[in-house]
Amino acid sequence: MEDYQNYIILFLLWLVSTIVVRAIFTSKSSSNNKGRLPPSPYGLPIIGHLHHLGPLPHQSLHKLSNQYGPLMHLYLGSVPTVVASSPEVAKEFFKTHESAFSSRPLPSILNTLSYPSPDLTFAPYGPYWKFLKKVCMSQLLGGKTLNLLLPVRTDERKRFLTSILKKAESNECVDVGKELKRLTNNIISRMIMSKRCAHNENEADEITDVVNGSAEVAGAFNVSDFIWFCKNLDLQGLKKKSKAIHDKFDKMVESIIKDHRANNVEKEDNFVPRDFLDILLQISDDEGSDVKLTQENIKSFFLDVFVAGTNTSSITLEWALAELINHPNIMKKAMDEVDSVVGKTRLVEESDVVNFPYIQAIVKETLRLHPPGPILSRVASETCAINGYEIKENTRLLINVWAISRDPNHWESPLEFKPERFYNEQGSENFKQVDVRGQHFQLLPFGSGRRVCPGTTLGLQIVHTTLASMLQCFEWKATNGVVDMDEGPGLTLPRAHSLVSTPKARLSPLPL
């Protein structure tokens, strides 16, 4: 968005001679559609309603919805867009008319960042996407595979806690966000390819650069996608930047696939896969597979899992700890729960999470206030009627998850961090069963319906167990007293400033 603001002046100056003509056509078009489209704020020629969006679009759209209602119609440049900002309207799109909104708009930057075949995130709804989803849910992220790779997650968590302990013993400040990102990078890296990111510093830096760079360019506002006459231009240099990221990633993953194939060349019929890549290569070699996975398909899937699986979990954990530091009474209650269930002679395990209802409530409340995907994007595959308005084919849909989770009609004191809204000590029957998997439309941190995030189970396992371990082993306080809760721009709602804390060991020795 910041790049876009720099170009607004250039657009208006350069195209001043065409603005009047465009305004006339826009006016005629608006009069023809009057009464058929949802309410809209005032728009401008060429840029439509883009001037209403700031560096944090979810917040800007929330302010507009307070004035124009929970269903708005905007022109983002030349792209017709509807915005849903209430659970009721989200349900209309995600449940009543789900078949018409099961595809995502394809950013043009993916042509250079990824591969010709779209990955699971952006593949159009159809046979290829269904095949990828089936592979993901039944083999890559199914219970059998997650159980097989449980030792990997446990080992990386112990390494993480050991690293924090060394800093605590030296009374060092910890950049919590950086450490958590290293943890999730290593977990996903080993689950994908049996290899740690941090095995050597150069390689770790390369992988981190690819992950961060991919998320940055994919989440950046790209003028080429919204201003019709800029379609073939690279005014912001995003195409050039994404090409460099792609080339670095492609070289790296080519080497990894080559090594895997070499190691598996003499595999037996009862060969047990070690990681995701082994599973994908088996599917690729299976002549009876419903869809033939090419090497490019595997690379695209590889990049997708890496980018989606690392940032979201680490950012959620960072937000959760920041909230707990600012609410020491809640942190104390969570620590007491861990101590009562696990004790002090062994480390928290994933199997313990079911006995942590309060920590589960803390994670739910964190996902409500700080959803890892603040805006969900879809595109209409057919014309349909929503709340009496006509939504035409190819219209873009934005579901403002961030705004929905703050809806005062569904949440008491919606801006307050209050895990008790999901949990009551008087008994499990008072536990508010609001699901984070999209079944209840007032809470949509992982989306809903057919395109709900397939990594939800894995992500929650990592977040719940890591947070409980951090509370079991350390006391956490802000270096400056209170943690600021400012949001930063980005696809996955990062913090504006990384959380810095000086931890203090609670147990001696740690049960590692």
Side-chain angles (χ1 to χ4, degrees), residues 240-252:
K240 181 179 179 182
K241 187 173 183 178
S242 62
K243 179 66 166 57
I245 294 171
H246 170 86
D247 290 344
K248 180 185 290 187
F249 172 79
D250 191 70
K251 181 180 178 181
M252 179 179 67

Side-chain angles (χ1 to χ4, degrees), residues 109-312:
I109 202 68
L110 289 186
N111 293 330
T112 48
L113 179 63
S114 190
Y115 296 87
S117 297
D119 56 21
L120 179 64
T121 301
F122 291 102
Y125 182 73
Y128 176 68
W129 178 85
K130 291 179 181 178
F131 174 75
L132 288 182
K133 180 72 178 288
K134 179 181 177 182
V135 167
C136 198
M137 299 306 296
S138 65
Q139 298 192 55
L140 297 182
L141 296 172
K144 183 179 179 181
T145 303
L146 293 184
N147 287 336
L148 178 70
L149 296 171
L150 172 60
V152 167
R153 299 191 295 278
T154 301
D155 180 60
E156 287 302 330
R157 192 159 39 87
K158 289 181 178 180
R159 290 172 182 259
F160 164 74
L161 294 171
T162 301
S163 174
I164 299 297
L165 178 61
K166 290 179 180 179
K167 294 180 183 295
E169 290 174 340
S170 302
N171 200 33
E172 290 182 43
C173 292
V174 174
D175 184 329
V176 178
K178 183 178 180 180
E179 294 296 329
L180 287 170
K181 185 168 290 187
R182 180 177 292 135
L183 166 67
T184 54
N185 277 352
N186 282 327
I187 289 175
I188 298 301
S189 179
R190 286 182 65 183
M191 291 183 70
I192 292 177
M193 58 183 181
S194 302
K195 192 174 185 179
R196 300 186 76 233
C197 285
H199 187 67
N200 74 62
E201 286 299 322
N202 290 336
E203 193 171 65
D205 289 343
E206 282 189 8
I207 293 176
T208 300
D209 287 347
V210 167
V211 172
N212 292 343
S214 298
E216 180 183 336
V217 297
F221 176 85
N222 190 353
V223 173
S224 301
D225 287 337
F226 296 96
I227 306 297
W228 56 273
F229 52 80
C230 296
K231 183 178 180 179
N232 298 317
L233 302 177
D234 186 27
L235 296 175
Q236 298 154 275
L238 292 175
K239 184 176 180 180
K240 181 179 179 182
K241 187 173 183 178
S242 62
K243 179 66 166 57
I245 294 171
H246 170 86
D247 290 344
K248 180 185 290 187
F249 172 79
D250 191 70
K251 181 180 178 181
M252 179 179 67
V253 79
E254 273 282 356
S255 174
I256 293 168
I257 291 176
K258 184 178 179 180
D259 288 346
H260 263 64
R261 286 202 178 277
N263 292 335
N264 297 345
V265 69
E266 297 180 356
K267 65 184 178 183
E268 301 175 0
D269 292 338
N270 61 351
F271 172 76
V272 177
R274 298 168 298 163
D275 50 41
F276 290 3
L277 187 50
D278 279 344
I279 295 173
L280 293 173
L281 290 174
Q282 278 190 333
I283 296 170
S284 176
D285 295 338
D286 182 6
E287 297 296 333
S289 178
D290 295 340
V291 174
K292 178 66 176 176
L293 280 184
T294 66
Q295 185 125 320
E296 287 195 338
N297 294 147
I298 293 175
K299 291 177 184 177
S300 180
F301 201 94
F302 203 98
L303 180 61
D304 191 30
V305 173
F306 231 125
V307 174
T310 57
N311 281 352
T312 52

Side-chain angles (χ1 to χ4, degrees), residues 350-395:
E350 286 187 8
S351 58
D352 293 316
V353 170
V354 68
N355 297 315
F356 295 152
Y358 194 62
I359 286 179
Q360 291 182 51
I362 287 170
V363 171
K364 277 189 177 182
E365 182 71 341
T366 300
L367 291 170
R368 183 185 72 84
L369 285 174
H370 313 286
I375 295 178
L376 302 177
S377 183
R378 300 286 190 273
V379 64
S381 59
E382 59 187 60
T383 298
C384 59
I386 303 289
N387 287 7
Y389 297 108
E390 183 183 66
I391 310 300
K392 295 184 178 180
E393 183 179 0
N394 295 322
T395 297

